[in-house]
Amino acid sequence: MSKIGYARCSTTDQNPARQEEWLEQQGCEKVFLDMLSGKDINRPQLKAMLDYVREGDVLYIESISRLARSTRDLLNIVDQLTRKKVQFYSQKESIDTTTPQGKFMLTVFAAMAELERDQIKQRQAEGIAIAKAKGVYKGRQKKYLDKFLFEELYKQWKKGNITQKYMCEKLHISRRTLFTRIKEFEANVAQNSEK
């Protein structure tokens, strides 16, 4: 029997240290970490973890929201674990799927997590609509980027000397922001070369 951990943060701006520390305290021998949104189950480390676990293993997570954001996805993941005879433990919700009560509570908490996410999105959309109606909505503000540092890193990346992950770390931005900035930069360069 092995103790396996899974942790997830939505963006590279978030820090998984708290989750990793808790998993270490539980004695997890191997920890899988995704730095992606939990909106779907198309995550490389989640897939790797599901392939890795074996009968008798126990999967530890800090909260069910780290594993999945929708009831369907969560129950699908737990079903895969159950078929492999892998136990499941969530710290925040104190869920242990080896018991009927734990299985029931898992279904309830998964539904609540999905409801909470939908309510947050609904409130956000309502707030934006009100701000737009008042003419005060400006959208998300662009993060300041050191132009010279970006251009130097971009040149190094184009030469194959550094990775995009390294660029993100140096610029303190997410991958999504980096892709956007690269597209903007390349479009600007193309436009200036046509003049």
Side-chain angles (χ1 to χ4, degrees), residues 118-135:
D118 289 344
Q119 287 176 331
I120 289 168
K121 286 169 70 178
Q122 182 181 5
R123 286 193 300 267
Q124 188 178 39
E126 289 169 356
I128 289 170
I130 291 167
K132 281 182 178 177
K134 291 181 178 178

Side-chain angles (χ1 to χ4, degrees), residues 127-141:
I128 289 170
I130 291 167
K132 281 182 178 177
K134 291 181 178 178
V136 295
Y137 180 74
K138 295 180 181 150
R140 204 167 167 186
Q141 299 301 309

Side-chain angles (χ1 to χ4, degrees), residues 10 35 57 65 69 97 106 120 135 159 166 182 184 186:
S10 297
M35 298 297 280
D57 288 350
S65 65
R69 287 287 192 178
T97 60
L106 178 66
I120 289 168
K159 290 177 185 174
Y166 180 81
I182 287 174
E184 289 171 356
E186 289 175 345

Side-chain angles (χ1 to χ4, degrees), residues 6 27 29 41 49 71-72 84 87 89-90 97 102-103 119 123 130 135 161 164 166 177-178:
Y6 177 77
E29 298 157 31
I41 57 174
M49 179 275 292
T71 306
R72 185 181 64 237
K84 290 183 112 178
Q87 296 177 30
Y89 181 77
S90 172
T97 60
K103 288 177 184 173
Q119 287 176 331
R123 286 193 300 267
I130 291 167
N161 296 336
Q164 288 182 342
Y166 180 81
T177 301
L178 178 64

Side-chain angles (χ1 to χ4, degrees), residues 10-48:
S10 297
T11 66
T12 54
D13 297 336
Q14 295 178 335
N15 189 337
R18 181 177 51 83
Q19 293 178 64
E20 291 175 318
E21 183 179 335
W22 179 79
L23 293 169
E24 187 180 314
Q25 289 170 358
Q26 304 316 300
C28 291
E29 298 157 31
K30 187 161 180 65
V31 174
F32 295 84
L33 170 65
D34 274 313
M35 298 297 280
L36 294 166
S37 169
K39 66 181 178 183
D40 62 44
I41 57 174
N42 188 21
R43 288 172 263 148
Q45 290 301 299
L46 174 63
K47 288 180 179 181

Side-chain angles (χ1 to χ4, degrees), residues 61-65 88-96 105 109 113:
I61 58 169
E62 184 261 343
S63 147
I64 60 172
S65 65
F88 169 79
Y89 181 77
S90 172
Q91 180 219 8
K92 185 176 181 183
E93 296 84 7
S94 297
I95 295 174
D96 180 350
M105 288 307 295
F109 280 118

